[in-house]
Amino acid sequence: MAKIFSKFGFSDLDVPFKNLEYWYIRDYGKMYDLYIRTNIKSHRLLPLIKISLVPIKLISPFVQWFKDKRTFKLQPNHYKCSLCTDCDDSFTELWKNSRKENATTLCRDAETLKWLYFSKAVAEKRYVIKCIDTRNDKLVGYFVFDIACSEKDIKTMQLKDAYIPQFEEEIVLSLIAFSMDLAKIHNVAASVFWPIDQKMEEILKKLIKIKRKHKHAYLYNFVNEDDELDLEGHEDHEFIPSPIDPDRGVL
C-alpha cells in the first residue's frame, strides 16, 4: 500500500502542528477508567490498577469542582464568542480574504461549511464556536468541536477544525475559554485541543499541562519530481498545505 501512495506522489505528514494533542481533563476518574478499558485490558497488573481507580474516582469530583471554579478567565477584550447554528457569507469572506497569491491554499464557501458542520450526519455531536470582533462585528475565527460519548457514558470533546487566518492571542484565548465553558455545560470528562501553529502551541502549553503525540499520520499529494519542469520560471510558486487537518480523518 505504501508503494502505491508513493507512486502517485503522496507523502506522510504529521498534522496538526507537530502532531501534538493537548488534553484538558475535568474528570480524572472517568478518563482513567476510559484509558483502562481502551488501552490496557490484557495487562498483568490490571487488577491492581483497577483497585487504584477507586480513590481516583472518589477524589475526582472535588478536583473537577476546584478546576471549574478556577477555569481560565479572560481579561476584558473586544472579542466575543458564541455558538452558531449556520454558516453565512461571513465564513466565506473569512476564507477568501486570507488567500495568498501564487499559493495553493484551501478556500471554502458557506455551502460547503454548512454541509461539513451542520449536516444531519453530525447534527447530534458537532458544535461551532465563532469569534466576533465587537469593534466592527466581523468574524475573525472559529473552532469546531465534536462531543463523543463512549459505551460507558464518558464524554470527550475534541477539536475537529480551527480557522484563525489573522492570528491574535486574544482570539485564541477567547475561543478556548468559551470551549471550556461548553465542556462544563455538557459534563465532558476531557477536552482535546491541537495547535495550528507555533503561536497557538505556546498558548496551549501555558494553559494545559497534559500533552501527547497524536497517533495518526495523514497523506498529502505534493508535486512529483517529473512535474517540477512545469514550474520553471515560476520562482514565486509555493505549495502550502492547510495549516489544519479540517477533518482529522473524519469529515
Side-chain angles (χ1 to χ4, degrees):
M1 184 64 72
K3 290 183 178 179
I4 294 175
F5 287 140
S6 60
K7 178 181 179 181
F8 287 97
F10 283 88
S11 301
D12 281 332
L13 279 184
D14 288 336
V15 292
F17 182 77
K18 291 189 177 179
N19 212 33
L20 288 176
E21 290 180 332
Y22 287 79
W23 286 66
Y24 182 81
I25 311 294
R26 294 188 64 252
D27 192 324
Y28 285 91
K30 285 185 178 180
M31 288 309 300
Y32 193 35
D33 193 18
L34 182 64
Y35 178 77
I36 289 174
R37 295 177 186 278
T38 56
N39 290 279
I40 54 175
K41 293 180 181 178
S42 60
H43 199 286
R44 59 188 178 85
L45 296 178
L46 185 58
L48 291 176
I49 295 173
K50 284 187 174 180
I51 291 174
S52 68
L53 180 59
V54 176
I56 292 175
K57 284 189 172 181
L58 291 174
I59 296 172
S60 190
F62 296 99
V63 176
Q64 185 176 333
W65 176 85
F66 178 76
K67 292 191 78 170
D68 285 342
K69 284 293 183 181
R70 62 182 295 273
T71 294
F72 169 69
K73 298 296 181 183
L74 280 174
Q75 295 295 324
N77 63 49
H78 44 262
Y79 294 114
K80 181 180 179 181
C81 294
S82 61
L83 284 176
C84 61
T85 56
D86 195 8
C87 291
D88 54 26
D89 291 339
S90 64
F91 283 78
T92 303
E93 290 302 314
L94 187 68
W95 281 86
K96 283 184 176 179
N97 293 339
S98 63
R99 299 199 75 178
K100 297 179 181 179
E101 210 174 322
N102 298 320
T104 304
T105 58
L106 276 176
C107 184
R108 290 178 169 172
D109 58 23
E111 290 302 315
T112 301
L113 294 176
K114 286 178 185 178
W115 176 72
L116 288 171
Y117 304 150
F118 301 108
S119 64
K120 290 182 180 180
V122 298
E124 298 296 323
K125 65 176 182 178
R126 191 151 294 163
Y127 297 84
V128 180
I129 304 171
K130 64 180 180 180
C131 185
I132 300 294
D133 188 337
T134 57
R135 294 169 297 182
N136 52 24
D137 288 331
K138 293 283 188 180
L139 178 68
V140 292
Y142 62 86
F143 279 178
V144 182
F145 286 93
D146 276 4
I147 296 181
C149 190
S150 72
E151 295 178 358
K152 296 296 180 181
D153 196 30
I154 300 173
K155 293 181 181 178
T156 56
M157 190 170 86
Q158 186 179 58
L159 183 63
K160 305 296 287 186
D161 198 350
Y163 193 55
I164 308 170
Q166 303 300 322
F167 191 95
E168 287 188 35
E169 183 174 354
E170 289 78 11
I171 298 174
V172 178
L173 292 175
S174 297
L175 287 164
I176 291 175
F178 190 93
S179 63
M180 287 181 176
D181 289 339
L182 182 66
K184 181 180 177 182
I185 292 171
H186 288 275
N187 195 27
V188 167
S191 299
V192 186
F193 298 87
W194 43 266
I196 59 177
D197 58 18
Q198 183 67 46
K199 294 178 182 177
M200 184 170 171
E201 188 191 13
E202 293 302 320
I203 294 171
L204 291 174
K205 275 183 181 178
K206 294 176 184 177
L207 297 179
I208 303 174
K209 302 305 179 185
I210 300 173
K211 67 177 179 179
R212 71 175 190 177
K213 282 283 185 180
H214 184 56
K215 297 178 181 179
H216 302 289
Y218 299 89
L219 292 169
Y220 281 85
N221 191 319
F222 290 97
V223 177
N224 288 323
E225 291 182 4
D226 295 339
D227 297 331
E228 288 182 354
L229 294 175
D230 297 334
L231 300 178
E232 288 182 1
H234 297 275
E235 290 80 5
D236 294 332
H237 177 88
E238 183 183 8
F239 181 87
I240 304 177
S242 170
I244 58 171
D245 177 3
D247 54 10
R248 310 209 74 200
V250 178
L251 292 184

